[in-house]
């Protein structure tokens, strides 16, 4: 009897690990409200939630978030493909709004948030020579995403470079 219980428990845990791995590998899929968090290099936690919708079947920007202020967010992936989002928020900073919507994650460093993952695609310059560049209305941003105040109607972009 104990042998069957061990086999059942082992099979159950294996299936749970597989399910967790599948969820972690899907980009910009629906996640529970609040998402999960991952520790950063300095011990603080940074949101790693996924977006509320996927743009694959959508026409035009996908709507994410909740709030009175709305802005556009575009992602250009390394392969040149793009995704567009219409973000609604009440957050003060773009970084907060994008993290809250589950579109970006990264680690806090001495210069602010280092965004290493956008819609599930991760780039760390030290590892692959690529990074996520932040743009505001088509111009390379002079401030970090976590220090850029939300402005209604503005286009914010991350491009893998």
């Amino acid at each position: 009897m104990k042998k069957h219980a061990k086999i059942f428990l082992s099979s159950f845990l294996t299936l749970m690990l597989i399910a967790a791995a599948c969820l972690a590998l899907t980009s910009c899929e629906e996640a529970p409200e609040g998402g999960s968090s991952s520790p950063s290099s300095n011990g603080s936690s940074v949101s790693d939630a996924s977006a509320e919708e996927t743009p694959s079947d959508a026409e035009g920007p996908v709507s994410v978030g909740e709030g009175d202020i709305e802005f556009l967010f575009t992602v250009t992936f390394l392969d040149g493909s793009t995704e567009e989002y219409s973000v609604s928020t009440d957050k003060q900073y773009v970084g907060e709004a994008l993290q809250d919507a589950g579109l970006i994650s990264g680690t806090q460093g001495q210069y602010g948030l280092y965004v290493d993952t956008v819609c599930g695609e991760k780039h760390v310059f030290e590892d692959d020579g690529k990074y996520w560049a932040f743009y505001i209305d088509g111009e390379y941003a002079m401030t970090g995403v976590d220090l850029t105040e939300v402005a209604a109607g503005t286009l914010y972009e991350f491009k893998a470079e």
Side-chain angles (χ1 to χ4, degrees), residues 39-44 107-109:
S40 68
S41 59
N42 68 356
S44 63
T107 56
Q108 280 293 345

Side-chain angles (χ1 to χ4, degrees), residues 11-81:
S11 298
F12 178 76
L13 290 174
T14 301
L15 287 173
M16 295 306 292
L17 285 172
I18 291 171
C22 289
L23 287 173
L25 292 175
T26 54
S27 65
C28 296
E29 293 292 326
E30 185 168 303
E33 191 169 316
S36 63
S37 59
S38 58
S40 68
S41 59
N42 68 356
S44 63
S45 218
V46 177
S47 176
D48 192 20
S50 295
E52 295 173 7
E53 300 180 34
T54 66
S56 57
D57 298 321
E59 299 244 350
V62 174
S63 295
V64 297
E66 294 181 10
D68 294 331
I69 304 169
E70 188 174 318
F71 64 86
L72 295 174
F73 176 63
T74 301
V75 180
T76 303
F77 297 97
L78 199 55
D79 67 3
S81 63

